Every structure is written in C-alpha cells, then in structure tokens.
C-alpha cells in the first residue's frame, strides 16, 4: 500500500505536468497537438487518481477500527470536497493574474508536494508498524493533506 500511494501520487503529478506542458509548448497555428498532449496527460492523471482513493481507504482501514473508522472515513471524504473548493479558490486568481498556463503549472507543483507528502506518509506508516501506530493521528492528517493536494 505504501508503494502504491507513492506511485499513484507520482502518476497524478506526471499527468498534471503533461497537461501543463500542453499549454506551454508552441505548435503550428491550428494544430490539434496541444489538445492530444493534454488528453494524454489526463489519461496518466486518471491512472493514479481513483486508485489513490482506494489506497487512502486502505490506510484508514488499517489504522482505525470501530467508531474511529467511521469518523476517519468521513473526514477523508470531507477533505476531498474541501480540496475541490480550494481548487476553485486558488486556481482562478492565479489564472486571472498570471495566465492559464501558470495556473496549470501551479497545480503540477501542488501535486509534486503531494507526492513528497506521500513519501513521508509511507515512512510514517512503516514507523507506525514498529511502534504500534502511536503516530497514526499525525499520519492521518498528513494523509488527508496528501490527497487534498492532489485534487487541487
């Protein structure tokens, strides 16, 4: 599960970067190539997106039980919705002030940060196995942060 989280975060970051690249590369006038590059980027993004949600749910199911499990799932679901709302709040001002391409590159940077958080989460999960999850609440917050950033 740890490796999968990092792989899926990386796919999301790579896909987002490909989409951003499609707005940066200059092609001949009237070329559909930027559109096709963006489609490839969205495909790569999609390979990681929903799979990352499954990975997140697996982490939560391993760390929590009983009433804690229901609360943890609810918080995870809420964070994904908060991520969508933050996306609208953050990306539009960037696009308005700097341009659409910069907004897409900002998303790619957020996804790289998320991938780094996923690496840290994997380390904390491994440490949690050794220490019987004393860090599980901190890890849970980091996990929510990891997955909310990928939505932005």
């Amino acid at each position: 599960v740890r490796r999968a989280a990092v792989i899926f975060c990386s796919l999301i970051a790579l896909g987002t970067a490909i989409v951003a690249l499609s707005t940066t590369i200059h092609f001949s006038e009237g070329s559909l190539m930027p559109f096709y590059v963006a489609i490839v980027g969205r495909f790569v993004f999609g390979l990681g997106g929903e799979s990352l949600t499954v990975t997140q749910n697996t982490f939560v199911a391993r760390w929590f039980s009983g009433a804690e499990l229901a609360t943890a799932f609810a918080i995870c679901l809420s964070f994904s919705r908060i991520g969508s709302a933050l996306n609208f709040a953050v990306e539009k001002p960037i696009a308005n002030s700097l341009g659409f391409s910069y907004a897409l590159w900002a998303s790619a940077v957020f996804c790289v940060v998320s991938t780094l958080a996923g690496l840290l989460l994997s380390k904390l999960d491994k440490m949690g196995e050794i220490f019987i999850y004393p860090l599980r609440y901190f890890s849970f917050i980091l996990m929510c942060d990891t997955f909310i950033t990928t939505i932005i």
Side-chain angles (χ1 to χ4, degrees), residues 124-135:
L124 287 174
D125 184 58
K126 189 168 188 146
M127 288 172 54
E129 283 182 358
I130 295 169
F131 299 113
I132 319 292
Y133 292 111
L135 301 172

Side-chain angles (χ1 to χ4, degrees), residues 19-104:
V19 171
L21 188 65
S22 74
T23 65
T24 307
I25 298 175
H26 297 287
F27 293 97
S28 62
E29 186 70 28
S31 173
L32 291 176
M33 191 56 73
F35 173 74
Y36 295 130
V37 171
I39 293 294
V40 168
R42 290 300 294 173
F43 177 77
V44 172
F45 179 92
L47 290 174
E50 295 305 317
S51 303
L52 188 60
T53 302
V54 173
T55 304
Q56 176 187 17
N57 291 337
T58 303
F59 274 124
V60 171
R62 282 190 354 191
W63 294 345
F64 299 96
S65 62
E68 288 181 335
L69 181 62
T71 303
F73 275 130
I75 290 170
C76 285
L77 183 61
S78 298
F79 264 86
S80 68
R81 301 305 178 254
I82 291 168
S84 297
L86 283 174
N87 176 48
F88 294 123
V90 170
E91 293 296 319
K92 187 175 181 182
I94 294 172
N96 288 340
S97 63
L98 299 174
F100 182 66
S101 182
Y102 285 99
L104 291 176

Side-chain angles (χ1 to χ4, degrees), residues 108-132:
V109 169
F110 290 141
C111 288
V112 168
V113 169
S114 175
T115 302
L116 295 175
L119 283 167
L120 181 59
L121 173 68
S122 294
K123 287 277 193 206
L124 287 174
D125 184 58
K126 189 168 188 146
M127 288 172 54
E129 283 182 358
I130 295 169
F131 299 113
I132 319 292

